[in-house]
């Protein structure tokens, strides 16, 4: 782990497997710009309860923020490319066959892995999307894709073209939810929308079931 403090700082429960010794799917889940919040951990726990092994790396080395503005400033100081590379490196210690989930900022490493790493079978990108050309020339065959956006989310408005491009290239699914909240699936934030969060979780589990 030398030179990778973000892996060393992963919370102790970051890859908890269910009692079944053979989990359905290995999942690498990346947090948003507020950091590895209790809400992100809670979403990961729901995936674990369904039988999946979930890793939740802390790309901020223990730091969390009360506002997206502050979290984005911190991410800018680290560098978005560095964050994408840090997250992608986390996959090195996991099984080759992998699903990736990213919330907002976490879409950077999740989408990079989906487009560049052999063995990724599914990607769930929430609240953000990166233009297809950033990580390659196209979407790989055999990688299922879901995207989740609030309809009036100002943070994600500039990402909708990229989301449409990804869906067209992958044959994936784009789900839109009423409202303007950004981190709607995180119950530890003011953006939390229980109905949208439940649908995102249900649809994510359905995708994992299909690829599992």
């Amino acid at each position: 782990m030398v030179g990778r403090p973000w892996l060393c700082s992963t919370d102790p429960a970051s890859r908890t497997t269910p009692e079944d010794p053979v989990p359905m799917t290995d999942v690498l889940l990346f947090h948003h710009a507020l950091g590895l919040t209790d809400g992100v951990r809670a979403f990961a726990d729901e995936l674990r309860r369904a039988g999946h092994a979930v890793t939740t790396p802390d790309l901020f080395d223990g730091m969390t923020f009360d506002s997206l503005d502050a979290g984005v400033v911190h991410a800018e100081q680290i560098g978005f490319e560095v964050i994408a590379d840090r997250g992608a490196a986390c996959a090195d210690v996991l099984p080759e066959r992998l699903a990736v989930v990213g919330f907002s900022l976490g879409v950077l490493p999740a989408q990079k892995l989906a487009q560049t790493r052999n063995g990724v079978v599914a990607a769930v990108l929430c609240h953000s999307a990166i233009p297809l050309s950033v990580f390659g020339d196209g979407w790989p065959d055999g990688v299922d894709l879901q995207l989740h956006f609030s309809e009036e989310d100002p943070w994600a408005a500039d990402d909708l073209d990229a989301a449409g491009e990804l869906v067209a290239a992958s044959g994936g699914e784009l789900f839109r939810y009423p409202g303007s909240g950004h981190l709607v699936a995180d119950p530890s934030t003011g953006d939390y929308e229980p109905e949208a969060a439940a649908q995102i979780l249900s649809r994510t589990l359905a995708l994992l079931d299909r690829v599992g």
Side-chain angles (χ1 to χ4, degrees):
M1 299 297 182
V2 175
R4 295 180 182 177
W6 55 94
L7 292 182
C8 298
S9 63
T10 299
D11 71 336
S14 67
R15 189 178 183 274
T16 301
T17 57
E19 292 182 3
D20 185 343
V22 184
M24 295 173 61
T25 309
D26 266 279
V27 180
L28 185 52
L29 188 156
F30 296 104
H31 63 75
H32 45 63
L34 298 186
L36 185 56
T37 61
D38 289 342
V40 172
R41 292 190 177 98
F43 191 94
D45 284 341
E46 291 298 325
L47 301 185
R48 294 179 183 120
R49 289 189 186 97
H52 305 288
V54 186
T55 300
T56 54
D58 185 347
L59 302 179
F60 282 1
D61 199 21
M63 297 185 67
T64 57
F65 298 90
D66 294 329
S67 73
L68 280 170
D69 287 331
V72 169
V73 168
H74 181 67
E76 289 173 339
Q77 292 171 345
I78 296 172
F80 294 124
E81 185 174 353
V82 172
I83 287 172
D85 289 344
R86 281 185 179 185
C90 296
D92 292 348
V93 297
L94 295 176
E96 181 179 8
R97 192 176 189 280
L98 190 66
V100 293
V101 179
F103 290 104
S104 191
L105 178 70
V107 165
L108 276 167
Q111 188 174 327
K112 178 172 183 173
L113 284 167
Q115 289 190 241
T116 63
R117 182 185 187 269
N118 291 333
V120 174
V121 295
V124 179
L125 310 181
C126 301
H127 328 312
S128 183
I130 311 300
L132 190 66
S133 62
V134 170
F135 299 122
D137 297 328
W139 191 263
D141 292 337
V143 182
D144 286 5
L145 174 66
Q146 281 185 1
L147 298 108
H148 301 271
F149 284 80
S150 294
E151 291 177 347
E152 305 297 332
D153 177 7
W155 282 93
D158 292 339
D159 293 353
L160 291 177
D161 287 344
E165 180 186 34
L166 290 173
V167 169
S170 67
E173 301 170 294
L174 171 60
F175 297 103
R176 305 287 300 276
Y177 302 90
S180 59
H182 187 54
L183 304 177
V184 296
D186 185 333
S188 67
T189 74
D191 285 344
Y192 179 59
E193 292 288 347
E195 185 173 345
Q199 289 181 312
I200 291 171
L201 175 62
S202 175
R203 287 163 171 164
T204 299
L205 289 172
L207 176 59
L208 295 177
D209 287 347
R210 289 202 304 270
V211 302

